[in-house]
Amino acid sequence: QVQLVESGGGLVQPGGSLRLSCAASGNIFSIYSMGWYRQVSGKQRELVAVITSGGNTRYADSVKGRFTISRDNAKDTVYLQMDSLKPEDTAVYYCNAFSVTPSPKDYWGRGTQVTVSS
């Protein structure tokens, strides 16, 4: 089992910045990748950014150049630095961990609200 705890959401003005954190615990050695997804009420959850254990990253086109995902292996924590925020970035952001052993499985945090508004 893997447990994920997110922090760092809140209210920010357009053009502002926020940093989300996600701390993993439990069977962390089974984790292949960690990432962030977001969901707006009534819409499907969508990928924002993901980083593999090897450090490879992938971003949604809508956030490229504005968001940066990183990880601190010593702290078992993944970060999402969000700059130049737009109102359309408003959503609940969920941390995800994809584990490959003993079998493929997704783990999710409880989510943190990000609101971009003036």
Side-chain angles (χ1 to χ4, degrees), residues 55-87:
N56 294 316
T57 59
R58 181 162 58 98
Y59 296 90
D61 287 342
S62 59
V63 307
K64 282 181 182 176
R66 300 188 298 120
F67 291 10
T68 303
I69 190 169
S70 61
R71 62 191 297 166
D72 183 335
N73 291 328
K75 296 182 179 180
D76 300 320
T77 299
V78 170
Y79 304 97
L80 184 68
Q81 178 66 42
M82 304 185 293
D83 299 318
S84 302
L85 282 160
K86 304 175 180 180

Short mmCIF file of all heavy atoms in Angstrom, two decimals, residues 55-87:
data_model
loop_
_atom_site.label_atom_id
_atom_site.label_comp_id
_atom_site.label_asym_id
_atom_site.label_seq_id
_atom_site.Cartn_x
_atom_site.Cartn_y
_atom_site.Cartn_z
N GLY A 55 13.19 9.97 -13.64
CA GLY A 55 13.26 11.42 -13.82
C GLY A 55 12.65 11.94 -15.12
O GLY A 55 12.68 13.14 -15.38
N ASN A 56 12.08 11.04 -15.93
CA ASN A 56 11.42 11.50 -17.15
C ASN A 56 10.10 12.18 -16.80
O ASN A 56 9.39 11.75 -15.90
CB ASN A 56 11.16 10.33 -18.09
CG ASN A 56 12.45 9.72 -18.59
OD1 ASN A 56 13.37 10.43 -18.98
ND2 ASN A 56 12.54 8.40 -18.58
N THR A 57 9.80 13.26 -17.52
CA THR A 57 8.59 14.03 -17.23
C THR A 57 7.69 14.14 -18.46
O THR A 57 8.15 14.02 -19.59
CB THR A 57 8.94 15.44 -16.75
OG1 THR A 57 9.71 16.11 -17.76
CG2 THR A 57 9.74 15.40 -15.46
N ARG A 58 6.43 14.35 -18.17
CA ARG A 58 5.45 14.57 -19.25
C ARG A 58 4.43 15.55 -18.74
O ARG A 58 4.03 15.49 -17.57
CB ARG A 58 4.80 13.24 -19.64
CG ARG A 58 3.79 13.33 -20.76
CD ARG A 58 3.54 11.95 -21.37
NE ARG A 58 3.08 10.97 -20.40
CZ ARG A 58 1.81 10.63 -20.23
NH1 ARG A 58 0.88 11.21 -20.95
NH2 ARG A 58 1.48 9.72 -19.34
N TYR A 59 4.02 16.47 -19.61
CA TYR A 59 3.07 17.52 -19.23
C TYR A 59 1.90 17.58 -20.19
O TYR A 59 2.03 17.29 -21.39
CB TYR A 59 3.76 18.89 -19.24
CG TYR A 59 4.86 19.05 -18.24
CD1 TYR A 59 6.18 18.74 -18.57
CD2 TYR A 59 4.59 19.54 -16.97
CE1 TYR A 59 7.20 18.89 -17.65
CE2 TYR A 59 5.62 19.71 -16.04
CZ TYR A 59 6.91 19.38 -16.39
OH TYR A 59 7.92 19.54 -15.48
N ALA A 60 0.76 18.01 -19.66
CA ALA A 60 -0.36 18.35 -20.53
C ALA A 60 0.03 19.57 -21.35
O ALA A 60 0.75 20.45 -20.87
CB ALA A 60 -1.60 18.64 -19.70
N ASP A 61 -0.44 19.64 -22.59
CA ASP A 61 -0.11 20.78 -23.44
C ASP A 61 -0.53 22.10 -22.81
O ASP A 61 0.15 23.12 -22.98
CB ASP A 61 -0.79 20.62 -24.80
CG ASP A 61 -0.15 19.53 -25.66
OD1 ASP A 61 1.00 19.13 -25.36
OD2 ASP A 61 -0.80 19.07 -26.61
N SER A 62 -1.61 22.08 -22.07
CA SER A 62 -2.16 23.31 -21.51
C SER A 62 -1.28 23.91 -20.41
O SER A 62 -1.47 25.08 -20.04
CB SER A 62 -3.56 23.05 -20.95
OG SER A 62 -3.52 22.05 -19.95
N VAL A 63 -0.36 23.14 -19.87
CA VAL A 63 0.47 23.64 -18.77
C VAL A 63 1.96 23.71 -19.12
O VAL A 63 2.75 24.19 -18.31
CB VAL A 63 0.29 22.81 -17.49
CG1 VAL A 63 -1.18 22.70 -17.12
CG2 VAL A 63 0.92 21.42 -17.62
N LYS A 64 2.32 23.25 -20.30
CA LYS A 64 3.73 23.28 -20.70
C LYS A 64 4.27 24.70 -20.66
O LYS A 64 3.62 25.64 -21.14
CB LYS A 64 3.89 22.69 -22.11
CG LYS A 64 3.84 21.19 -22.17
CD LYS A 64 4.03 20.68 -23.59
CE LYS A 64 3.94 19.17 -23.67
NZ LYS A 64 4.05 18.68 -25.07
N GLY A 65 5.45 24.84 -20.07
CA GLY A 65 6.07 26.16 -19.98
C GLY A 65 5.62 26.96 -18.77
O GLY A 65 6.21 28.00 -18.47
N ARG A 66 4.58 26.49 -18.08
CA ARG A 66 4.09 27.20 -16.90
C ARG A 66 4.23 26.38 -15.62
O ARG A 66 4.47 26.93 -14.56
CB ARG A 66 2.62 27.58 -17.09
CG ARG A 66 2.35 28.46 -18.27
CD ARG A 66 0.89 28.96 -18.28
NE ARG A 66 -0.07 27.88 -18.39
CZ ARG A 66 -1.02 27.62 -17.48
NH1 ARG A 66 -1.12 28.37 -16.40
NH2 ARG A 66 -1.87 26.62 -17.67
N PHE A 67 4.08 25.08 -15.74
CA PHE A 67 4.16 24.18 -14.58
C PHE A 67 5.43 23.34 -14.66
O PHE A 67 5.88 22.97 -15.74
CB PHE A 67 2.96 23.23 -14.54
CG PHE A 67 1.63 23.87 -14.25
CD1 PHE A 67 1.46 25.24 -14.23
CD2 PHE A 67 0.52 23.07 -13.97
CE1 PHE A 67 0.24 25.82 -13.96
CE2 PHE A 67 -0.71 23.61 -13.70
CZ PHE A 67 -0.85 25.00 -13.70
N THR A 68 5.97 23.02 -13.49
CA THR A 68 7.16 22.17 -13.42
C THR A 68 6.97 21.13 -12.34
O THR A 68 6.67 21.47 -11.18
CB THR A 68 8.41 23.00 -13.10
OG1 THR A 68 8.58 24.02 -14.07
CG2 THR A 68 9.65 22.10 -13.11
N ILE A 69 7.13 19.87 -12.71
CA ILE A 69 7.06 18.79 -11.74
C ILE A 69 8.48 18.36 -11.36
O ILE A 69 9.38 18.34 -12.20
CB ILE A 69 6.25 17.59 -12.29
CG1 ILE A 69 5.97 16.57 -11.18
CG2 ILE A 69 6.94 16.94 -13.49
CD1 ILE A 69 4.96 15.51 -11.57
N SER A 70 8.66 18.07 -10.08
CA SER A 70 9.98 17.63 -9.61
C SER A 70 9.77 16.68 -8.43
O SER A 70 8.68 16.58 -7.88
CB SER A 70 10.83 18.82 -9.19
OG SER A 70 10.22 19.53 -8.12
N ARG A 71 10.84 15.98 -8.07
CA ARG A 71 10.73 15.07 -6.95
C ARG A 71 11.98 15.13 -6.09
O ARG A 71 13.08 15.37 -6.59
CB ARG A 71 10.47 13.64 -7.44
CG ARG A 71 11.55 13.03 -8.29
CD ARG A 71 11.09 11.72 -8.94
NE ARG A 71 10.77 10.69 -7.95
CZ ARG A 71 10.10 9.59 -8.21
NH1 ARG A 71 9.65 9.37 -9.44
NH2 ARG A 71 9.85 8.69 -7.28
N ASP A 72 11.79 14.93 -4.81
CA ASP A 72 12.88 14.86 -3.84
C ASP A 72 12.86 13.44 -3.30
O ASP A 72 12.03 13.10 -2.45
CB ASP A 72 12.67 15.89 -2.73
CG ASP A 72 13.81 15.93 -1.74
OD1 ASP A 72 14.52 14.91 -1.61
OD2 ASP A 72 14.00 16.98 -1.09
N ASN A 73 13.75 12.61 -3.80
CA ASN A 73 13.75 11.20 -3.42
C ASN A 73 14.07 11.01 -1.94
O ASN A 73 13.59 10.06 -1.31
CB ASN A 73 14.72 10.41 -4.28
CG ASN A 73 14.26 10.30 -5.72
OD1 ASN A 73 13.06 10.26 -6.00
ND2 ASN A 73 15.21 10.27 -6.65
N ALA A 74 14.86 11.89 -1.39
CA ALA A 74 15.21 11.77 0.03
C ALA A 74 13.99 11.98 0.93
O ALA A 74 13.92 11.42 2.03
CB ALA A 74 16.31 12.76 0.39
N LYS A 75 13.05 12.78 0.43
CA LYS A 75 11.85 13.07 1.22
C LYS A 75 10.62 12.32 0.71
O LYS A 75 9.52 12.50 1.24
CB LYS A 75 11.56 14.57 1.20
CG LYS A 75 12.63 15.41 1.85
CD LYS A 75 12.25 16.89 1.82
CE LYS A 75 13.31 17.73 2.51
NZ LYS A 75 12.96 19.18 2.49
N ASP A 76 10.80 11.52 -0.36
CA ASP A 76 9.67 10.80 -0.97
C ASP A 76 8.53 11.76 -1.27
O ASP A 76 7.35 11.48 -0.99
CB ASP A 76 9.19 9.67 -0.05
CG ASP A 76 10.27 8.65 0.23
OD1 ASP A 76 11.02 8.32 -0.71
OD2 ASP A 76 10.39 8.22 1.38
N THR A 77 8.89 12.88 -1.83
CA THR A 77 7.92 13.95 -2.10
C THR A 77 8.02 14.42 -3.54
O THR A 77 9.13 14.53 -4.08
CB THR A 77 8.15 15.13 -1.15
OG1 THR A 77 7.97 14.68 0.21
CG2 THR A 77 7.17 16.25 -1.42
N VAL A 78 6.87 14.69 -4.13
CA VAL A 78 6.79 15.25 -5.46
C VAL A 78 6.17 16.64 -5.36
O VAL A 78 5.25 16.86 -4.56
CB VAL A 78 5.93 14.36 -6.38
CG1 VAL A 78 5.65 15.05 -7.70
CG2 VAL A 78 6.64 13.05 -6.65
N TYR A 79 6.69 17.54 -6.17
CA TYR A 79 6.22 18.91 -6.17
C TYR A 79 5.65 19.29 -7.54
O TYR A 79 6.10 18.78 -8.56
CB TYR A 79 7.36 19.87 -5.83
CG TYR A 79 8.05 19.55 -4.53
CD1 TYR A 79 9.22 18.80 -4.51
CD2 TYR A 79 7.52 20.00 -3.32
CE1 TYR A 79 9.86 18.51 -3.31
CE2 TYR A 79 8.16 19.71 -2.12
CZ TYR A 79 9.32 18.97 -2.13
OH TYR A 79 9.94 18.67 -0.94
N LEU A 80 4.72 20.22 -7.52
CA LEU A 80 4.23 20.81 -8.76
C LEU A 80 4.29 22.32 -8.59
O LEU A 80 3.50 22.90 -7.83
CB LEU A 80 2.80 20.38 -9.07
CG LEU A 80 2.26 20.89 -10.42
CD1 LEU A 80 3.02 20.23 -11.58
CD2 LEU A 80 0.76 20.63 -10.54
N GLN A 81 5.26 22.94 -9.25
CA GLN A 81 5.39 24.39 -9.23
C GLN A 81 4.52 24.94 -10.35
O GLN A 81 4.72 24.60 -11.52
CB GLN A 81 6.85 24.80 -9.44
CG GLN A 81 7.06 26.30 -9.50
CD GLN A 81 6.76 27.00 -8.19
OE1 GLN A 81 7.12 26.51 -7.13
NE2 GLN A 81 6.12 28.15 -8.27
N MET A 82 3.57 25.76 -9.98
CA MET A 82 2.62 26.31 -10.95
C MET A 82 2.81 27.82 -11.04
O MET A 82 2.58 28.53 -10.05
CB MET A 82 1.18 25.97 -10.53
CG MET A 82 0.93 24.48 -10.33
SD MET A 82 -0.78 24.10 -9.98
CE MET A 82 -0.97 24.86 -8.37
N ASP A 83 3.23 28.28 -12.18
CA ASP A 83 3.45 29.70 -12.43
C ASP A 83 2.50 30.20 -13.51
O ASP A 83 1.92 29.41 -14.25
CB ASP A 83 4.91 29.95 -12.85
CG ASP A 83 5.91 29.52 -11.80
OD1 ASP A 83 5.66 29.80 -10.61
OD2 ASP A 83 6.95 28.93 -12.16
N SER A 84 2.38 31.51 -13.59
CA SER A 84 1.51 32.13 -14.59
C SER A 84 0.13 31.49 -14.60
O SER A 84 -0.41 31.14 -15.65
CB SER A 84 2.14 32.02 -15.98
OG SER A 84 3.41 32.63 -16.02
N LEU A 85 -0.43 31.34 -13.42
CA LEU A 85 -1.71 30.64 -13.30
C LEU A 85 -2.83 31.41 -13.98
O LEU A 85 -2.86 32.65 -14.00
CB LEU A 85 -2.04 30.42 -11.83
CG LEU A 85 -1.27 29.24 -11.20
CD1 LEU A 85 -1.25 29.35 -9.69
CD2 LEU A 85 -1.88 27.92 -11.63
N LYS A 86 -3.76 30.64 -14.54
CA LYS A 86 -4.90 31.17 -15.25
C LYS A 86 -6.19 30.71 -14.58
O LYS A 86 -6.19 29.65 -13.91
CB LYS A 86 -4.90 30.68 -16.70
CG LYS A 86 -3.63 30.98 -17.47
CD LYS A 86 -3.68 30.35 -18.85
CE LYS A 86 -2.41 30.63 -19.63
NZ LYS A 86 -2.44 30.02 -20.99
N PRO A 87 -7.28 31.44 -14.76
CA PRO A 87 -8.55 30.98 -14.18
C PRO A 87 -8.93 29.57 -14.59
O PRO A 87 -9.51 28.83 -13.79
CB PRO A 87 -9.54 32.01 -14.71
CG PRO A 87 -8.73 33.25 -14.89
CD PRO A 87 -7.39 32.76 -15.37
#
